[in-house]
Amino acid sequence: MEMDKRTLIAIILSIAILVGYQYFFIKPVPLKPVTEQAKAVQKEEKKQEAVKPVSVPAAALPSEEKEIKVETELYSATLSSTGATIKKWELKKHKDKDGLAVLLQKERGAVPPLAVGPQNNFSLSKVNFSVSGRDINLTKGTNTSSVVFEYANPEYSIRRTYTFYNDSYKFGLKDEVANFPEYWITLGTDFGIHDRKDTTEHIGPVILKEADRIELDAKKLKEVKSYQGGLKWIAMEDKYFFAAVVPVTPIDEAKAWEVQDASIVAFKGKPGVNDFIVYAGPKEHDKLKELNLGLEHIIDFGFFSIISRPLFWLLKFFYNFMGNYGWAIVLLTIVTRIPFIPLINKSQKSMKKMQDIQPKMAEIKEKHKKDPQRMQKETMELYKKYKVNPLGGCLPMLLQIPVFFALYKILSIAIELRGAPFMLWITDLSAPDTLFGQAAGFSLGGPLPYLMGITMVIQQKMTPSTMDPKQAKLMMFMPIIFTFMFLNFASGLVLYWLVNNILSIVQQFYVNKKLAKETA
């Protein structure tokens, strides 16, 4: 098969992978047991006032719901005495077009956050608990505070303690239960999810079991799924945010199932003390790692994570001294291209040589069209005589594919790019360039994707080609196809591709000029 046919196949495969890339996943690095990771948090909680056991005899319970407001530097929350659950959770440091980023819908879903019950129907989410404590405001110098909810009937009892910290998205949750036949706790159907519309990444429950990141989808949960052993945490996630429950005391089982067209995941604990750390906030890798709870593995770096992780570190390194993620992307694109310069030069020279010997190859094909073996032999002799590698044109492209998809994944999921401006009209590198607005409900995009398409055309015109007319016509559509695809891509991704194309044009110009001198 001719070189350019191989190149064409590689390009088409790249597009196919690009469109479907969100379906590739990677197993995270094995974590230390969470019980060890949470020792520091356990010590901190022990400083709180000791909690007395709950007596089984039923106590007088309130007939009306009571709310507890929680204010910290990072979020505003509302707790409800109904089920001792969470009713509101807003992030103060993250906004959207409607205001603060909300990690809990105004109307609570089928099962509220942190619902608990003696069975996995979470029956206690509908009863009122008594409350010991008042509204919490940690923005005035206080570092930590707690509130206690209690419920008891003649059969069983539960005492729930929330412990909040001013400088962290995590909080402590302790459930002391007596006489429960089974103890279950869940994140509910909505907690942790801010945006359900952006489906480029997984939305819904995640379980980390040993080193396996298990993503669950309501459409596929037609029956209850059970997981046992090595359970690190359960979470509800969207592209940029999540909520997670990390067990401090050992947990034996987690289950996932469908509730009213939504997926739900829950832990099964034991009678006695069940201690957890709960997190509800952004997917900020470095800050999650500092918590030492293994939650940084909620960030899925994709199939090429071995490349994505160091590139992600490099992107943040460039940002630290440039102060602009747009210019950091430009610099990262340049740096990641440098190792491939020698290979690309050889590739471009090989393609030029292939173009030069095309007339001779056509003669061989015509002369030996009835003798394929002779045709192949003389073609190989022609390659040898002119020192041409028929695979030299597509090999560098194939080697660059893992780097491209690693960068694609980083620029798709990095919350650091959310709301990050570049220059001029580009005010959010995580959002598409929409400067030209819409027409008939269709996005017209902005200058960035069209500039990218123009550079693809220039690159095609400059690159030596041995294509037959049919292949050449097909390749003419590639810039158009890519331009329409990139209209809805994040500006950061389009910026990377544009800069990469410009670098390719510069390098191709240099090689063409050098070859022209050699043949003069």
Side-chain angles (χ1 to χ4, degrees):
M1 182 179 293
E2 294 181 9
M3 176 205 64
D4 281 294
K5 290 183 179 179
R6 294 176 184 271
T7 305
L8 180 61
I9 292 171
I11 293 173
I12 293 172
L13 285 175
S14 298
I15 297 172
I17 299 172
L18 178 65
V19 175
Y21 187 70
Q22 60 266 33
Y23 298 103
F24 290 91
F25 306 100
I26 185 68
K27 293 181 179 180
V29 178
L31 306 177
K32 296 179 181 179
V34 173
T35 51
E36 293 182 10
Q37 296 169 338
K39 283 182 179 179
V41 179
Q42 284 180 299
K43 289 179 181 179
E44 188 173 6
E45 289 188 341
K46 286 180 180 178
K47 294 178 183 179
Q48 304 297 320
E49 184 179 354
V51 182
K52 298 179 180 179
V54 181
S55 58
V56 172
L61 295 170
S63 58
E64 296 182 357
E65 178 187 20
K66 181 179 180 180
E67 294 182 350
I68 299 291
K69 307 291 184 181
V70 180
E71 292 288 337
T72 74
E73 296 288 346
L74 300 176
Y75 59 84
S76 297
T78 301
L79 308 182
S80 172
S81 65
T82 304
T85 56
I86 297 175
K87 196 171 184 178
K88 170 190 170 185
W89 197 275
E90 291 183 338
L91 305 182
K92 294 182 177 181
K93 304 293 185 180
H94 297 273
K95 298 180 180 181
D96 58 22
K97 61 181 181 180
D98 298 319
L100 297 180
V102 178
L103 296 196
L104 183 62
Q105 299 301 320
K106 293 181 180 179
E107 296 296 331
R108 291 193 292 179
V111 180
L114 304 178
V116 68
Q119 293 89 19
N120 60 1
N121 59 8
F122 308 109
S123 56
L124 292 183
S125 65
K126 299 178 181 179
V127 302
N128 283 324
F129 285 57
S130 60
V131 184
S132 298
R134 61 184 65 184
D135 290 350
I136 295 172
N137 191 331
L138 300 178
T139 64
K140 299 179 180 180
T142 308
N143 292 322
T144 183
S145 187
S146 298
V147 61
V148 178
F149 295 87
E150 295 181 84
Y151 175 84
N153 64 29
E155 298 178 355
Y156 52 79
S157 62
I158 178 171
R159 181 186 181 96
R160 163 167 284 188
T161 305
Y162 286 90
T163 302
F164 297 97
Y165 311 99
N166 186 40
D167 58 350
S168 178
Y169 289 104
K170 74 175 184 183
F171 60 91
L173 182 70
K174 181 184 292 185
D175 282 344
E176 297 174 282
V177 299
N179 299 334
F180 273 33
E182 288 184 350
Y183 164 80
W184 288 89
I185 183 172
T186 181
L187 282 162
T189 52
D190 290 301
F191 190 36
I193 297 177
H194 169 65
D195 184 3
R196 288 190 177 273
K197 295 179 181 179
D198 188 347
T199 57
T200 56
E201 301 295 326
H202 173 257
I203 297 174
V206 183
I207 297 175
L208 190 67
K209 183 180 184 295
E210 296 293 355
D212 294 332
R213 173 190 159 97
I214 304 169
E215 296 179 356
L216 301 163
D217 187 343
K219 296 178 181 178
K220 299 177 181 179
L221 281 174
K222 300 305 177 184
E223 58 184 23
V224 177
K225 293 187 177 181
S226 177
Y227 304 90
Q228 297 179 346
L231 298 169
K232 306 301 182 182
W233 44 255
I234 58 175
M236 292 286 287
E237 69 167 357
D238 64 10
K239 186 174 183 176
Y240 294 120
F241 303 96
F242 77 111
V245 173
V246 185
V248 177
T249 50
I251 289 291
D252 297 330
E253 184 179 11
K255 285 187 177 182
W257 64 96
E258 181 184 4
V259 177
Q260 297 180 13
D261 296 325
S263 46
I264 194 170
V265 63
F267 271 143
K268 179 183 178 182
K270 297 178 180 179
V273 177
N274 292 269
D275 217 345
F276 305 96
I277 300 299
V278 183
Y279 178 95
K283 292 181 178 180
E284 297 174 335
H285 181 271
D286 293 349
K287 292 182 179 179
L288 289 173
K289 194 171 183 179
E290 289 174 2
L291 293 177
N292 201 29
L293 297 170
L295 288 174
E296 66 272 18
H297 296 285
I298 190 70
I299 301 173
D300 178 18
F301 282 101
F303 188 76
F304 297 106
S305 64
I306 194 171
I307 302 173
S308 301
R309 292 178 187 276
L311 289 180
F312 182 56
W313 178 88
L314 198 58
L315 176 68
K316 292 185 293 181
F317 174 77
F318 290 149
Y319 171 77
N320 285 337
F321 70 87
M322 299 188 78
N324 184 298
Y325 270 109
W327 291 115
I329 290 171
V330 172
L331 188 54
L332 182 64
T333 307
I334 295 172
V335 169
T336 55
R337 189 175 177 85
I338 289 174
F340 295 101
I341 288 177
L343 277 174
I344 295 171
N345 282 342
K346 288 182 180 180
S347 167
Q348 291 169 340
K349 289 178 181 179
S350 178
M351 292 174 71
K352 179 62 177 175
K353 289 180 179 180
M354 282 290 293
Q355 186 182 44
D356 293 340
I357 66 171
Q358 279 303 296
K360 292 181 173 59
M361 291 183 64
E363 290 177 8
I364 293 173
K365 287 182 179 181
E366 181 63 28
K367 185 177 179 180
H368 302 292
K369 59 184 178 182
K370 294 183 179 181
D371 189 351
Q373 291 183 347
R374 183 66 181 274
M375 182 194 302
Q376 184 178 10
K377 182 181 178 181
E378 292 201 12
T379 300
M380 296 306 295
E381 289 176 355
L382 188 66
Y383 288 156
K384 187 176 181 180
K385 180 181 178 180
Y386 288 92
K387 298 179 181 180
V388 173
N389 181 1
L391 298 178
C394 59
L395 182 60
M397 179 186 297
L398 295 175
L399 291 176
Q400 288 181 85
I401 286 176
V403 176
F404 163 69
F405 285 120
L407 284 168
Y408 168 78
K409 189 67 175 179
I410 291 170
L411 299 178
S412 296
I413 65 172
I415 193 172
E416 287 80 0
L417 300 184
R418 186 177 185 269
F422 176 36
M423 59 186 296
L424 302 175
W425 69 93
I426 301 173
T427 58
D428 186 352
L429 286 166
S430 71
D433 181 358
T434 57
L435 183 65
F436 297 154
Q438 293 186 340
F442 178 76
S443 175
L444 298 177
L448 207 60
Y450 292 106
L451 287 172
M452 185 276 302
I454 292 170
T455 57
M456 286 191 70
V457 173
I458 296 172
Q459 191 179 358
Q460 273 190 2
K461 296 294 184 182
M462 293 180 64
T463 304
S465 175
T466 59
M467 291 184 182
D468 60 41
K470 290 183 179 179
Q471 288 178 325
K473 286 181 180 179
L474 179 60
M475 289 300 294
M476 287 173 62
F477 286 100
M478 298 302 293
I480 299 173
I481 294 171
F482 267 71
T483 299
F484 276 97
M485 285 172 54
F486 277 61
L487 286 177
N488 294 310
F489 276 25
S491 298
L493 278 171
V494 185
L495 178 63
Y496 157 71
W497 194 276
L498 172 62
V499 174
N500 194 59
N501 284 355
I502 292 172
L503 294 174
S504 297
I505 291 170
V506 172
Q507 189 171 0
Q508 187 69 60
F509 177 80
Y510 167 78
V511 172
N512 289 353
K513 191 173 181 179
K514 187 176 180 181
L515 289 173
K517 286 183 179 180
E518 291 176 357
T519 56

